[in-house]
Each structure stands twice: as C-alpha cells, then as structure tokens.
Amino acid sequence: DIVLTQSPALAVSLGQRATISCRASQSVSISRYNLMHWYQQKPGQQPKLLIYRASNLASGIPARFSGSGSGTDFTLTINPVQADDIATYYCQQSRESPPTFGGGTKLELK
Amino acid sequence: QVQLKETGPGLVQPTQTLSITCTVSGFSLTSYYMQWVRQTPGKGLEWMGFIRSGGSTEYNSEFKSRLSISRDTSKNQVFLKMNSLKTEDTGVYYCARAWNYSSSPFDYWGQGVMVTVSS
C-alpha cells in the first residue's frame, strides 16, 4: 500500500499563510494526472473535499485554498488563514488500490 | 441537492455482524461509485471498499474476508455488512460518493455513524 506522511500539527496566525505537506512512499502521478486529493475535517464532522488531482479546487471551496505538487511531494496552501479554517487536513491518493489517507495535519492557532 | 446518510446500530458485540445502510438522494447510484470509509482511533481514515455504478464491488484486502457491500437502487440505498467484529473495529463509518472511475476523489460524504464494539 502507498503510505502518505503528514506532519501531525501546524501552528499558524490568522491572516498568514499555512503550508501543509504530504509525502507519498511512491509516485502517485500517471502521465499528466497527479492522483492526490485533500480533505478538511472539523471536529464531529465528516471530511470535506477541498482539492482534487493535486491542484483543482472542488466546488464551493474558497480560492484561498490551493494545491500543488507531483510525483511524491504535495502541498496544500491556505492563504490567508481564517478562523473557520481551523481543522484537520488529510491527503488521499487514488493512484493505486487501496486508496490511502495520510494521518492528518491539525491546523492550530499560534 | 446531494445527500448521504448512514444509519446503523451504534453498539455491536464482539464476534457479531455490523450492518449499516447509506441512504442517498440527489443523484443516481447507477452513475457513481459508492465508497465505505471508516475512521478509527488506531488507524485513522481507512478505505474499506466500493460498489461501482454497474454494481460490481472491490474491497480492501484488510477486510475482504469479512466485508460485503451491496445496494438497492430502487431504494437509493447502499449496504455495508462486516462480520466477526473486534473491539478495534470501533470507530465512525462513512459512506462517500465518488465519480464514475476508480481513481476519483470522494466528493460527498455522509455524516457518519459511530459504531462501538463492546460486550
């Protein structure tokens, strides 16, 4: 299985940029498709799709969220961070079955 | 609008069978893949399996021997059944929708149902 590694937590100030990383144990890219997706989960709620295929904003997601990366290294950026963005963020790969998730990065206020 | 809702037992005894129903609205089960994902304290988010728009299934080998996913398109329902439950199966179980190919993201999720495995 492809293992996705995320830092457990990131402290950020409101109005600043947050950069959340995800590293895969092997490439999750096929030709021009980078099969990495990002989700936001708030306590007591279900995950919510933010970014699909590394850099595509999901429907209804604010433009302060963006994604980048290819191969094994991917980044979710939130700029500027707002209070409503305090949550845990998960990456997920769909390059190979089984789809796997990272352990999550909890975004905290500095 | 798109909605998914899981219903299940809440508490299940070890060695027993878990049955969860996901009822959907706002889209057709014959046009999307339906996924089951669970979130446990020990392993975080884990993909369990899916049922394709055409009705065939694929399972995570971690669960393959004890997991079954089925559906009733006339009732807009997808079912998860998992037998031989253990205490480490305690967690929140989600159904999620994915687009009509196996590498798609999960674009809508149900609210989840908390399942506790305990005697």
Side-chain angles (χ1 to χ4, degrees):
Chain A
D1 297 2
I2 296 177
V3 176
L4 303 180
T5 302
Q6 298 181 247
S7 297
L10 175 67
V12 64
S13 301
L14 293 179
Q16 299 302 302
R17 176 195 305 257
T19 302
I20 297 171
S21 299
C22 176
R23 174 163 287 176
S25 59
Q26 62 191 78
S27 175
V28 299
S29 300
I30 302 179
S31 62
R32 61 189 173 97
Y33 294 110
N34 299 302
L35 297 175
M36 183 69 80
H37 320 295
W38 290 93
Y39 301 86
Q40 176 194 66
Q41 187 178 33
K42 296 179 180 178
Q45 295 186 17
Q46 68 271 50
K48 177 182 178 181
L49 178 66
L50 295 176
I51 301 283
Y52 64 95
R53 290 202 298 264
S55 60
N56 297 277
L57 206 59
S59 175
I61 303 303
R64 64 180 184 274
F65 290 91
S66 63
S68 63
S70 64
T72 60
D73 291 298
F74 295 86
T75 300
L76 171 71
T77 300
I78 311 170
N79 188 30
V81 170
Q82 298 187 0
D84 188 51
D85 303 333
I86 300 306
T88 300
Y89 292 85
Y90 295 92
C91 54
Q92 178 242 322
Q93 67 81 22
S94 58
R95 170 63 179 85
E96 279 188 4
S97 185
T100 50
F101 293 84
T105 297
K106 189 173 183 180
L107 190 64
E108 301 168 331
L109 283 180
K110 196 180 283 186
Chain B
Q1 78 267 33
V2 172
Q3 291 187 321
L4 300 80
K5 185 174 181 180
E6 305 90 344
T7 50
L11 178 65
V12 182
Q13 294 197 340
T15 75
Q16 297 301 299
T17 296
L18 172 66
S19 296
I20 301 175
T21 298
C22 173
T23 303
V24 310
S25 60
F27 66 98
S28 172
L29 294 177
T30 59
S31 298
Y32 293 87
Y33 285 30
M34 290 302 297
Q35 317 274 346
W36 287 97
V37 178
R38 74 177 187 179
Q39 188 166 28
T40 63
K43 292 196 172 183
L45 288 165
E46 276 185 290
W47 175 77
M48 302 181 72
F50 64 59
I51 184 163
R52 294 182 178 87
S53 53
S56 59
T57 54
E58 184 172 320
Y59 302 111
N60 188 329
S61 59
E62 281 284 308
F63 307 102
K64 194 167 186 176
S65 61
R66 59 190 186 113
L67 177 64
S68 173
I69 297 173
S70 59
R71 70 182 185 182
D72 183 336
T73 56
S74 68
K75 293 183 177 179
N76 294 320
Q77 292 179 326
V78 183
F79 310 105
L80 175 147
K81 282 193 190 327
M82 188 163 71
N83 58 32
S84 305
L85 284 195
K86 307 165 231 184
T87 54
E88 51 265 43
D89 292 317
T90 293
V92 181
Y93 288 72
Y94 296 100
C95 61
R97 188 185 84 164
W99 305 330
N100 203 14
Y101 56 96
S102 59
S103 62
S104 75
F106 306 160
D107 66 344
Y108 284 92
W109 297 60
Q111 64 192 20
V113 61
M114 178 69 205
V115 174
T116 301
V117 181
S118 174
S119 54

